[in-house]
Amino acid sequence: MTSSDDVAASRDGGRPRVVLGVSGGIAAYKACELLRRLTESGHDVTVVPTAAALEFVGAPTWAALSGKPVATDVWSGVHEVPHVRIGQTADLVVVAPATADLMAKAAHGLADDLLTNTLLTARCPVVFAPAMHTEMWEHAATRDNVATLRSRGALVIEPAEGRLTGKDTGKGRLPEPGEIFEVCTEVLARGAGDLDLAGRRVVVSAGGTREYLDPVRFLGNRSSGLQGYALARAAAARGADVTLVSANVTLPDPAGVKVVRVETTAQLRQEVVAAAASADAVVMAAAPADFRPTAVSHAKIKKASDGSAPPIELAQNPDILHEISTDRARSGSVIVGFAAETGDDTGSVLELGRAKLARKGCDLLVVNDVSGGAVFGSPDNEAVILGADGAVTDVPYGSKTALARVIWDEVTRRLQD
Ligand code: CTP
């Protein structure tokens, strides 16, 4: 048996093999949670910490949580040639946290411990989840190293903004372990080297807007934001630079995604139009309120003693999808809308969808049948994607993550260079 036959045999039929590389940053403790998520969802995980990582979390923790022995240097179990074998047999290598030092070594091909050797021998997708102080992330050396790693096909997740070690805040936080886990499963599902949105900027809107009547009451809708967040996650896992304009969603920020929070349709419009100016693709998964009260009371509206209800006069909100589709800031961009339809006496769900696609002027319209209200808040969805070019793609009932994948497939097919 040759070495490559041996490697193929070891992958056959088994659980996906993940190498979790941990480098020496305080966020190493968060990798324990990532490890748990991976093992509990059926992945076979080998943890390869650096010596510095073991200063933060000890080898017994990694061994207990992974159920495997843990090594840092290339001198343990030499007869099994671990410095080559671990990388060769992996389906995914994820380094979390990835320090500036670890990425510098990886970018320059240095191999002075088990993790850097593993990175040189791995032929599977590699994900780096950096965590460091903002100054280190912004340093020209780190920028160059990140660019080098990305140019070689690695997925380097943008760090989150927020509280860093000590009193500092800024960009450099490790994204939440659950969200790094989502990136890993998405990359594993799509296979090696498939970062087909690398170098692309995309904008996704999610959630439902609120139109205030007074400081405590608003008109709103039932959108959970799950589909928009699944789209943002899926795009980030394909290498895109993602801005997620999020209206009143309580889900955790997807890893590597810039999240802009809004409440009203006017705010959503402002942020989407601004981000769309430099975007290759925009997906309007949000449910903007179509109407807003013409006047917002600055004080809480009181009940009248005669039992009468206050009149509410409404004005129509701007149609954001129509605006960005008909007044394109960037030629060649792909714009996607959603249509939640129930069908009525004027037409079936699909007929209404076709009419809406033409009216809005977008390139793709994802049509959901929401007759039973089943889609709201559900992790699953079923849709038909209509193209302005006449294409019709049926997406069978499945997860919103699966639908997000198909939507990006349709978008990438239409993106121009
Ligand atoms: N949309 C938008 N701006 C609005 C309303 C909707 O950009 N003010 C977008 C949604 O994000 C979605 C698409 O338009 O991508 C269709 O939303 P929908 O509510 O079905 O469309 P409406 O134009 O409101 O049509 P209807 O009269 O059927 O409600």
Side-chain angles (χ1 to χ4, degrees):
M1 207 185 243
T2 65
S3 143
S4 57
D5 287 338
D6 198 18
V7 170
S10 69
R11 282 184 189 158
D12 270 352
R15 297 178 293 156
R17 291 180 178 225
V18 177
V19 173
L20 172 59
V22 186
S23 54
I26 187 74
Y29 77 93
K30 291 190 183 173
C32 299
E33 175 64 21
L34 174 59
L35 172 55
R36 258 226 123 94
R37 296 271 185 129
L38 287 165
T39 53
E40 283 176 0
S41 53
H43 298 84
D44 174 345
V45 189
T46 303
V47 184
V48 184
T50 63
L54 295 181
E55 296 286 331
F56 293 96
V57 179
T61 303
W62 304 119
L65 291 176
S66 67
K68 290 190 180 193
V70 166
T72 292
D73 58 42
V74 295
W75 309 118
S76 336
V78 176
H79 62 289
E80 289 178 335
V81 203
H83 75 287
V84 174
R85 186 167 185 83
I86 292 173
Q88 277 182 336
T89 56
D91 297 309
L92 173 75
V93 178
V94 52
V95 185
T99 58
D101 177 66
L102 187 278
M103 289 193 295
K105 284 181 177 158
H108 290 85
L110 300 183
D112 60 357
D113 64 5
L114 191 55
L115 179 54
T116 45
N117 274 274
T118 298
L119 287 166
L120 276 186
T121 52
R123 294 293 176 269
C124 59
V126 177
V127 175
F128 292 93
M132 64 196 72
H133 269 76
T134 311
E135 292 85 347
M136 296 173 90
W137 174 250
E138 288 175 348
H139 194 283
T142 308
R143 308 307 323 135
D144 285 353
N145 292 330
V146 168
T148 300
L149 294 169
R150 284 181 174 153
S151 73
R152 293 186 191 138
L155 180 66
V156 183
I157 301 173
E158 287 290 307
E161 286 194 29
R163 183 83 194 268
L164 304 171
T165 317
K167 289 181 181 153
D168 301 351
T169 57
K171 189 161 182 172
R173 252 175 90 84
L174 189 74
E176 289 312 306
E179 292 299 320
I180 301 174
F181 168 74
E182 296 290 344
V183 172
C184 293
T185 52
E186 194 61 26
V187 171
L188 274 168
R190 285 180 43 79
D194 216 355
L195 300 181
D196 55 359
L197 286 172
R200 300 287 191 180
R201 278 170 195 257
V202 308
V203 180
V204 178
S205 69
T209 60
R210 292 176 178 175
E211 301 296 347
Y212 281 89
L213 291 158
D214 68 18
V216 294
R217 302 186 182 92
F218 55 81
L219 302 176
N221 62 65
R222 293 170 59 194
S223 177
S224 63
L226 284 169
Q227 184 64 69
Y229 274 57
L231 279 154
R233 258 191 220 115
R238 285 162 89 143
D241 172 338
V242 188
T243 300
L244 175 62
V245 187
S246 171
N248 309 300
V249 179
T250 51
L251 300 168
D253 290 356
V257 168
K258 179 181 174 202
V259 182
V260 180
R261 288 198 170 72
V262 297
E263 281 196 277
T264 65
T265 297
Q267 292 165 353
L268 182 72
R269 179 189 163 275
Q270 188 181 335
E271 296 298 341
V272 168
V273 169
S278 57
D280 297 292
V282 182
V283 184
M284 284 295 296
D290 286 324
F291 308 101
R292 65 180 185 283
T294 47
V296 183
S297 171
H298 293 296
K300 187 179 170 199
I301 301 168
K302 293 288 184 192
K303 284 202 289 282
S305 52
D306 63 1
S308 66
I312 299 172
E313 199 188 323
L314 298 175
Q316 210 173 93
N317 272 328
D319 187 327
I320 306 163
L321 179 60
H322 181 262
E323 180 180 341
I324 59 172
S325 299
T326 50
D327 185 15
R328 302 224 180 192
R330 194 176 166 142
S331 66
S333 61
V334 177
I335 298 183
V336 186
F338 272 72
E341 302 288 353
T342 58
D344 58 24
D345 356 327
T346 63
S348 67
V349 166
L350 266 193
E351 284 163 349
L352 294 178
R354 282 201 188 92
K356 192 168 281 182
L357 174 66
R359 206 166 60 239
K360 299 272 188 179
C362 52
D363 303 290
L364 293 165
L365 191 73
V366 185
V367 184
N368 293 137
D369 183 344
V370 290
S371 312
V375 165
F376 299 108
S378 153
D380 297 322
N381 213 343
E382 180 177 8
V384 177
I385 306 177
L386 303 177
D389 49 12
V392 179
T393 310
D394 275 303
V395 188
Y397 189 79
S399 67
K400 288 182 174 172
T401 303
L403 175 57
R405 264 178 224 148
V406 182
I407 293 170
W408 290 121
D409 288 345
E410 293 298 314
V411 169
T412 45
R413 205 168 299 150
R414 287 167 176 81
L415 280 171
Q416 290 162 15
D417 289 334

